[in-house]
Every structure is written in C-alpha cells, then in structure tokens.
C-alpha cells in the first residue's frame, strides 16, 4: 500500500474495493423494498449471496478461492 503525506496528515492509498482474491462482505441498513431492488441488480450473479433481517441487508461475494 503506497503512502504519501498531505500537510500534517498521513494518508494511505486505498486498495481496490472489490479485490476478488478475498471474500467481500457489505452490510447496509435499509428496507425490504431496498433489499428487493438490490437483489434484482445481482440477477445473473450466482455466487453473490444476499440476506435480509431486521432492516439489515448483507451482501456476500466469495473471492476467487471459492
């Protein structure tokens, strides 16, 4: 990870968000309607798992190793 200084603040460059070598887990708080909308967006992505419970949406995407 590269680093650079900006004034007195040291900033780390972020790695790509969707590094597919490791599992990805996203937690979002939303409604059932939002969950269904997100679910439609992942149609055709059989490896993605979606869960909804008590206004919590969880998206699991396995990495390449799976």
């Amino acid at each position: 990870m590269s680093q650079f200084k900006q004034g007195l603040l040291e900033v780390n460059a972020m790695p790509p968000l969707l590094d597919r070598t490791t599992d990805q887990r996203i937690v979002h708080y939303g409604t059932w309607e939002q969950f269904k909308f997100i679910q439609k967006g992942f149609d055709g992505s059989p490896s993605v798992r979606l869960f909804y419970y008590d206004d919590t949406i969880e998206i699991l995407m396995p990495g390449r190793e799976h």
Side-chain angles (χ1 to χ4, degrees):
M1 194 178 320
S2 64
Q3 295 183 353
F4 59 94
K5 291 193 178 201
Q6 183 179 17
L8 297 176
L9 177 66
E10 186 173 306
V11 180
N12 291 326
M14 295 293 290
L17 179 62
L18 296 178
D19 177 7
R20 299 296 295 181
T21 60
T22 60
D23 293 350
Q24 301 292 317
R25 179 177 180 253
I26 299 169
V27 177
H28 175 76
Y29 299 98
T31 64
W32 175 252
E33 291 79 17
Q34 290 171 324
F35 170 77
K36 295 306 284 181
F37 182 76
I38 292 169
Q39 189 177 44
K40 285 181 185 177
F42 282 105
D43 280 352
S45 299
S47 63
V48 175
R49 300 289 181 250
L50 298 166
F51 303 95
Y52 180 85
Y53 178 74
D54 196 27
D55 294 331
T56 302
I57 301 167
E58 185 174 4
I59 304 168
L60 298 176
M61 296 172 283
R64 289 187 196 128
E65 298 167 359
H66 291 277

